[in-house]
Amino acid sequence: MKLSIQDADKTQLLDQLGVANLKFQHTYPGDKPDRQPVHTVYGGANLFKSDTTKRMGDIALNNLRTYAPNFAELARVLQLKGYEHLPTLEKDVADLTARLDAMSPAERKQEHAWLAYSVYNKIIKKLEREAVEDFRIDFEDGFGNRPNDEEDATAVQAAGELAKGMQNGTISPFIGIRIKPFTEDLKARGVRTLDIFLTALLEQTGGKLPDNFVVMLPKVTIPEQMTTLVRLFEKLEQANGLAPGTLKMETMVEATQIIMDEEGRNPLMRIIRASEGRCVAAHFGTYDYTASAGITAKYQTMAHPVCDFAHHMTKVALGGTGIFLSDGATNVMPIGPHRGDNLTYEQLRENRESVHNAWRQGFHHTTHSLINGLYQGW
């Protein structure tokens, strides 16, 4: 077969292309095969205990059984497919449940109630086994600005609780700490809390960190904030006998300047590069971001169009890099307005409606995230 291109010329050109291809593949290696948590809980550092995630799971399971005692009730609240065909009387639901329980998985899939039944039972199993996959011991918004002595003491206390949880096996499979941002007014406080917390933790655990431990740096706007945290990590690793590169970080997308900088460019890739390979995830901060976009409090929700814009810009900037992306939070809690043991029928109804409304909002927000290709929330 006759060819026009000489082998030497072809090899030279393809070798040059190979260099560029490998550089691209290094920048965009694709999705990581590692497990990504589906949900992160940010909880105030002053409230963190060694068994916090277990107790949260118990509370959530109790609430589910109180406000949706069977799969048909939950299906109606969330309007799952086929919910209108499910029975409403407690006896009829119990009979249908018993019949589905007795079926094989293959037989069950042929039933119209299969989806609602399966979802409900999977939720129960998840809450019993691992209700919280990821937890951030929060020294930022969930903790607030407090006297330095109080934050110092809380950092030591939270480190002790985490060490106890590691020993007892009661912490979530992913865990970390959120410090204050590296803005000019808060950078010193953020560094001090990080230092106190890690020093106390490593002292009590013999130099061991929990699995999948990360440090969340919030309100990042410039690459230099990430670079500074990397240099601090290096000093902490050296001082505590940790292998270089042990400490990992996350960033938060919660200011308009992290979506577009003063030159009209998206700076996210430069911010991630500034972490020198230590950044593993970017979490969206719904309420700070909408506030930075001038949205008033009443309309600051995950469903606002400015959030969709930020999500897409983030996905475009970081797609294929292997950085885990997390959507924001739903701040409507499924808690009834009335407390106590002797509530009236009307009060019980109001509690139920309040909880169901919060569930629906959370369900719709999560569905919206999944549709937009965001598979984690907080």
Side-chain angles (χ1 to χ4, degrees), residues 279-293:
C279 187
V280 298
H283 290 209
F284 184 68
T286 303
Y287 304 99
D288 281 298
Y289 184 83
T290 49
S292 75

Side-chain angles (χ1 to χ4, degrees), residues 304-354:
H304 198 286
V306 301
C307 296
D308 284 342
F309 173 77
H311 294 153
H312 191 59
M313 290 290 285
T314 302
K315 286 185 70 68
V316 168
L318 301 182
T321 61
I323 299 295
F324 286 147
L325 302 182
S326 173
D327 205 348
T330 301
N331 68 348
V332 179
M333 298 295 288
I335 299 173
H338 305 292
R339 305 290 179 88
D341 297 327
N342 299 310
L343 300 181
T344 65
Y345 175 83
E346 183 65 20
Q347 289 174 324
L348 291 171
R349 183 186 63 79
E350 289 178 0
N351 278 357
R352 185 171 61 254
E353 289 180 355
S354 179

Side-chain angles (χ1 to χ4, degrees), residues 9 49 168 177 335:
D9 293 336
K49 302 295 180 186
N168 296 340
I177 177 177
I335 299 173

Side-chain angles (χ1 to χ4, degrees), residues 185-198:
D185 55 333
L186 291 172
K187 61 185 183 183
R189 181 65 261 182
V191 173
R192 182 173 175 83
T193 297
L194 174 65
D195 193 351
I196 292 172
F197 179 89
L198 280 178

Side-chain angles (χ1 to χ4, degrees), residues 33-45:
D34 304 349
R35 175 187 174 186
Q36 179 179 7
V38 299
H39 184 249
T40 303
V41 175
Y42 285 73

Side-chain angles (χ1 to χ4, degrees), residues 57-73:
D58 293 341
I59 292 169
L61 187 58
N62 181 63
N63 279 358
L64 177 67
R65 286 174 167 156
T66 298
Y67 295 107
N70 57 67
F71 75 88
E73 179 72 13

Side-chain angles (χ1 to χ4, degrees), residues 7 17 28 39 42 84 119 188 229 253 263 268 306 310 330 351:
D7 285 347
L17 176 59
Y28 299 102
H39 184 249
Y42 285 73
E84 63 272 22
V119 167
L229 186 55
V253 178
E263 296 179 351
L268 269 167
V306 301
T330 301
N351 278 357

